[in-house]
Amino acid sequence: MEENLKWIWAAFSLAWALHLLYVYSLGSRQKALKRQVEDLRAQLEDQGRAQ
Amino acid sequence: MRTSAYPKPAAPPWLVGLAGILMMISFYLIFIWVPMERSMGVVQRIFYFHVPSAFVAFIAFTIGGIASIQYLATRKNSYDDLSVSANEVGLMFAVVNLLTGMLWARPIWGVYWAWDARLTTMLLLALIYFAYLILRQSVVEPTQRAVVCAVTSIFGMVDIPIVYMANQWWRTQHPAPVLSGEGSIDPRMRFVLYFSTFALLSVFWILVRMRRRIEDLRREADGLRREVHSL
């Protein structure tokens, strides 16, 4: 029984670690793209003012 | 000064709350409420995460495949966005399914992996979607990328019934289907299996919404980049 507990612990930890890692990757990709969008908008406004 | 086009979070708080509550209940049912399986003991409880992960992956790839068909028919980008989002999240669930299956197999079969039909077809399914994501990165022209990926996604969807039927069509080491096959299952175990699937579906939906937001932002960035270069 106790010998087998390590397998169930490993399975659930691995599953949740993968979920959290994926959420982290989604969050960081989203943050990087938001920064890109803001930079591009600022660039557009600067170009608009210059003209 | 322009404000952000996406002030609200990709997943509404009520959905995140609901998924959290469903997962808590699911943990209670899996670890405390459901009866112990007699021959496998506590390891069998991996089943309540392993099988729902496969169901969610199948649903995700089906959504991705249908959205791809709709993209090819209408050429609307929103279908391509839905397809890539569902397929990427589905791949994550397929990997969870494969890994939890390996951790179940080690104490029960004595090996992590056996090249039997069910396991091999599931691995192939995951590899098709890995290839899909690699294609997504490697084709530069957006329309060509969307078309090539839509075809790959439809091809992947065709593998789903093969994976599901593998242990009926071929002799396999993998347990027989407990819901539709000859094996019987305690009604409480069946209930927990369905409940866990429902709880994971809510997590899936949150992840798809988050992934779609990335596609929205990518399209917005591409549009702005074109505007900057045209000035």
Side-chain angles (χ1 to χ4, degrees), chain A residues 1 4-5 7-8 10-12 14-16 18-19 22-23 25-27 29-31 33-34 36-38 40-41 43-45 47-48 51, chain B residues 2-4 23 27 31 42-43 45-46 49 88-89 92-93 96 99 103 106-107 112 207 210-211 213-214 217 220-221 224-225 227-228 231:
Chain A
M1 167 88 177
N4 281 342
L5 272 177
W7 295 107
I8 191 162
F12 278 81
L14 192 71
W16 280 106
L18 266 172
H19 277 88
Y22 185 63
V23 169
S25 111
L26 287 178
R29 278 190 276 172
Q30 208 179 100
K31 209 187 277 181
L33 277 165
K34 269 187 180 166
Q36 249 183 59
V37 167
E38 277 162 23
L40 285 163
R41 280 179 174 177
Q43 226 174 307
L44 257 177
E45 277 174 19
Q47 284 182 354
Q51 284 174 352
Chain B
R2 293 190 209 184
T3 53
S4 169
M23 285 316 300
F27 283 147
F31 291 108
V42 73
V43 180
R45 287 168 202 257
I46 292 176
F49 213 80
E88 190 183 288
V89 178
M92 199 271 300
F93 278 99
V96 168
L99 292 176
L103 290 167
R106 181 65 183 79
Y112 285 107
L207 295 176
M210 287 176 75
R211 183 61 185 80
R213 176 63 60 86
I214 290 175
L217 283 164
E220 189 181 353
L224 286 169
R225 211 170 285 123
E227 252 184 273
V228 167
L231 281 177

Side-chain angles (χ1 to χ4, degrees), chain B:
Chain B
M1 178 75 190
R2 293 190 209 184
T3 53
S4 169
Y6 307 101
K8 286 183 183 168
W14 67 264
L15 183 58
V16 178
L18 178 72
I21 292 168
L22 289 174
M23 285 316 300
M24 289 297 167
I25 298 172
S26 163
F27 283 147
Y28 168 78
L29 294 174
I30 294 170
F31 291 108
I32 296 166
W33 187 77
V34 76
M36 184 83 80
E37 206 270 343
R38 256 173 283 162
S39 57
M40 286 183 267
V42 73
V43 180
Q44 184 269 342
R45 287 168 202 257
I46 292 176
F47 162 88
Y48 302 111
F49 213 80
H50 170 71
V51 179
S53 297
F55 285 160
V56 174
F58 291 163
I59 292 169
F61 295 147
T62 306
I63 293 172
I66 293 170
S68 295
I69 294 169
Q70 284 179 306
Y71 173 77
L72 290 177
T74 63
R75 301 292 163 130
K76 279 187 187 164
N77 288 332
S78 58
Y79 290 125
D80 181 49
D81 293 351
L82 176 61
S83 176
V84 65
S85 306
N87 287 338
E88 190 183 288
V89 178
L91 177 61
M92 199 271 300
F93 278 99
V95 171
V96 168
N97 169 262
L98 285 168
L99 292 176
T100 51
M102 287 167 77
L103 290 167
W104 170 87
R106 181 65 183 79
I108 301 298
W109 293 345
V111 287
Y112 285 107
W113 186 263
W115 289 102
D116 87 349
R118 172 56 79 82
L119 276 70
T120 309
T121 48
M122 189 64 196
L123 179 66
L124 264 174
L125 184 69
L127 290 175
I128 290 170
Y129 286 93
F130 267 122
Y132 171 91
L133 292 182
I134 292 168
L135 268 175
R136 196 106 208 150
Q137 298 295 318
S138 51
V139 182
V140 182
E141 205 281 310
T143 311
Q144 195 185 3
R145 176 177 61 214
V147 171
V148 170
C149 288
V151 173
T152 314
S153 173
I154 295 163
F155 178 69
M157 186 171 67
V158 173
D159 192 30
I160 297 170
I162 300 173
V163 179
Y164 188 77
M165 298 303 289
N167 51 5
Q168 293 181 38
W169 289 346
W170 297 287
R171 270 174 53 176
T172 68
Q173 225 175 314
H174 193 278
V178 287
L179 296 176
S180 58
E182 293 159 9
S184 63
I185 183 170
D186 184 294
R188 284 168 295 177
M189 290 179 170
R190 188 187 296 265
F191 170 73
V192 177
L193 184 66
Y194 286 145
F195 192 91
S196 300
T197 306
F198 186 62
L200 277 188
L201 272 175
S202 64
V203 174
F204 161 75
W205 198 240
I206 291 172
L207 295 176
V208 167
R209 288 184 70 114
M210 287 176 75
R211 183 61 185 80
R212 280 196 80 169
R213 176 63 60 86
I214 290 175
E215 285 306 304
D216 291 341
L217 283 164
R218 199 190 305 277
R219 286 197 195 283
E220 189 181 353
D222 286 346
L224 286 169
R225 211 170 285 123
R226 274 194 298 273
E227 252 184 273
V228 167
H229 289 306
S230 68
L231 281 177

